Amino acid sequence: MIAPSPFMPLSDGDPFSAEWIARLPYADAELCQSAPATWLDKYGCAAVGSHAIVRAILPDWRRFTSTAKPCDDPFSLVPPILVTEDPPEHTLVRNALMQFFTPTALARHADAFAVEADRVVAEAAERGTIDAVKDIAAAFVLKVFPDMIGLKQDGRELILDFGEAAFNTVGPINAIFQELFERAAPAFAWVEENTRRDTVKPGGLASRILDLGDQGIIAPERAELLVRATIAAGFDTTVLAIANGIGAFLCFPDQWALLRSDPKLVRNALEEVLRYDPPARVQGRSAMVDCEVEGVRFRKGDPVALFLTAAGRDPDRWEEPDRFDIMRKGANLGFGAGIHLCLGQVLARMEFDAVFQALIRRVSAIEPAGEGRRFINNAAVGWGHLPVRLVS
Ligand code: HEM
């Protein structure tokens, strides 16, 4: 373990304990507001949540590599491609994959998304009292995303465990990791089995990514990894973005009324969700050189955990950060920044838009219907269970 940095106050807190995670994003924000960077003694890494420093480090791949992360471990389930790479390896893969995620390439899915969103929301509104996570967010994403990838129908629900486990291994090997690691074994077997050339649907996204291997653009075994990385990155994040959005409107009913009065604000609403309750909690980097960022000194080799949760609540950047305000201006970091900026953001926006447009049409008010429960995961943040009453 690396010796504590003399340039940062030491914390003996555990941001990866279940108690801490249940209080997100507030607990991360409190840690990060106590100092611009804090050394987490238990994990031997720096924790940073200042918007300005996170904004500066995320794109700075020359000084902060993505190839070594805090709590790096040999059991990580994140497919070691793209998000774990720097240029030139990263550039080659990213350029090859990007063609499938442009607005033009994705436009052909918009109608299917709208139809499915309307079906899911109509069914939920008919029932009235529902779990917004299971009955809206997961129900929608579990249909449209695997359809688009070209996965078989049987066993799709296992993808939720797969995504959850992959995000959990972004953090340390703790009790949360162990529990999910064991539970997710069937999910990993399912994903491995069903993302091969002979099991994916011809013409679907997985098959087109595998073509990159056959065409020699990337190595065939890396193309398989890329399919799994895409599934891991695109599932829980979108489920949580939708769930966290519903959770935010539940607490701020005036914002729901505002959104219904002008449905074009859905785009702003997603931006505000990414700031207020961002699904991707923490991004890892390691300093390649001794350096200084916004007055904070890092030593060569320091692992750095960049807390997007805290950056979204940084009072130096955001006025009244705990207020959910869909008219807010200014760029947030919920999709990251720089060369690793979320590759699936156009898709995530389309999914969020489809669900919220359907909600706007069919639901006049969203009311609480019981105690919600936060998702306990090392790196993915949001609601695990959110009972609501939809008023038509
Ligand atoms: C609201 C939903 C989403 C959020 C909040 C989110 C967040 C992020 C963040 C913060 C990063 C940057 C990682 C870093 O800097 O190390 C990232 C990268 C990435 N995301 Fe997303 N994501 C979302 C949806 C998706 C979807 C739907 C897909 C694809 C189907 C996807 C695919 C990726 C990929 C492949 C990367 C790696 C890009 C690279 O390393 O160049 N994401 N995402």
Side-chain angles (χ1 to χ4, degrees), residues 79 97 101 145 149 205 209 225-235:
L97 193 60
F101 289 96
F145 191 48
I149 294 181
L205 180 61
I209 295 176
L225 277 183
L226 204 48
V227 173
R228 282 172 222 145
T230 306
I231 296 175
F235 221 84

Side-chain angles (χ1 to χ4, degrees), residues 173-213:
I173 304 181
N174 55 8
I176 300 171
F177 173 109
Q178 295 291 5
E179 196 268 325
L180 215 86
F181 191 75
E182 279 148 37
R183 177 149 64 81
F188 275 85
W190 188 91
V191 169
E192 192 146 342
E193 165 75 22
N194 291 292
T195 50
R196 290 200 323 258
R197 168 65 77 200
D198 56 332
T199 49
V200 297
K201 198 169 148 219
L205 180 61
S207 142
R208 289 192 287 156
I209 295 176
L210 293 174
D211 288 346
L212 298 173

Side-chain angles (χ1 to χ4, degrees), residues 82-83 90 94 145 233-234 237 241 283 285 334-336 339-340 342 344:
L82 208 57
V83 81
H90 171 267
R94 179 149 179 132
F145 191 48
T237 45
Q283 305 307 323
R285 302 288 190 268
F335 279 131
I339 61 164
H340 293 281
C342 179

Side-chain angles (χ1 to χ4, degrees), residues 13-172:
D14 183 358
F16 297 104
S17 67
E19 301 71 41
W20 186 297
I21 289 170
R23 288 206 313 113
L24 291 180
Y26 299 96
D28 286 352
E30 284 159 20
L31 169 79
C32 295
Q33 279 161 27
S34 61
T38 305
W39 191 264
L40 296 176
D41 201 30
K42 189 170 162 77
Y43 299 111
C45 70
V48 178
S50 137
H51 176 96
I53 305 180
V54 175
R55 177 73 191 82
I57 293 181
L58 276 173
D60 190 352
W61 59 269
R62 288 189 173 81
R63 293 195 299 174
F64 291 90
T65 180
S66 283
T67 59
K69 314 254 184 189
C71 315
D72 244 356
D73 70 76
F75 305 112
S76 176
L77 301 177
V78 176
I81 192 161
L82 208 57
V83 81
T84 55
E85 293 178 317
D86 293 336
E89 292 80 6
H90 171 267
T91 320
L92 179 81
V93 180
R94 179 149 179 132
N95 288 347
L97 193 60
M98 197 61 218
Q99 59 181 306
F100 306 126
F101 289 96
T102 62
T104 315
L106 291 168
R108 67 196 175 100
H109 300 290
D111 288 348
F113 286 9
V115 168
E116 182 59 16
D118 202 58
R119 190 192 66 74
V120 165
V121 170
E123 227 173 87
E126 175 81 28
R127 284 169 55 199
T129 300
I130 51 137
D131 173 6
V133 182
K134 180 161 96 32
D135 300 322
I136 297 186
F140 172 75
V141 179
L142 257 177
K143 169 81 178 118
V144 298
F145 191 48
D147 274 0
M148 187 185 147
I149 294 181
L151 299 179
K152 76 171 189 194
Q153 198 71 39
D154 249 22
R156 280 180 176 192
E157 63 290 346
L158 288 168
I159 304 173
L160 284 174
D161 281 353
F162 172 75
E164 197 177 337
F167 271 98
N168 253 338
T169 61
V170 169

